[in-house]
Amino acid sequence: MSDRIHELLNRNLQEVFGEGDAARRRAAIEKLYTDDCVLYVPPGIFVGHDALDKFAGDLRATHPHCTYTPHGEPQALHNAGRLAWGSGREKPDYTGLDVIIVRDGKIAELYVFLDSMPS
């Protein structure tokens, strides 16, 4: 199970939140997330594929050329995992931590913790 959790964390970072193409992003969401997935982010709580897709697409539109880079290796514990990351081309514009809960081999819940934004 830990290999699957590592895969989900890495693929989510690149194929969902890092993907600029709407069709590819939606296909990844359907492969990686349960139908009743829940996304917990500072702006609110989003439920289901449509809400997740809209949030990720809207976020991507605010910085279309930005890349997400893992900071360290993903970690897994039972049915959960975490991955620290940075957003930016060279030096991260901001950093955060994704925590996922996995059910039936897919992400059922994603908690996104953002670190302080630079001044």
Side-chain angles (χ1 to χ4, degrees), residues 33-85:
Y33 282 85
T34 62
D35 292 340
D36 61 346
C37 62
V38 182
L39 169 65
Y40 298 91
V41 289
I45 300 170
F46 301 87
V47 179
H49 288 177
D50 290 344
L52 171 60
D53 192 17
K54 180 173 181 355
F55 180 83
D58 290 350
L59 178 64
R60 189 71 191 156
T62 66
H63 55 282
H65 303 294
C66 212
T67 58
Y68 289 99
T69 305
H71 289 181
E73 295 297 317
Q75 294 179 310
L77 179 65
H78 302 290
N79 68 325
R82 69 180 188 167
L83 178 64
W85 49 265

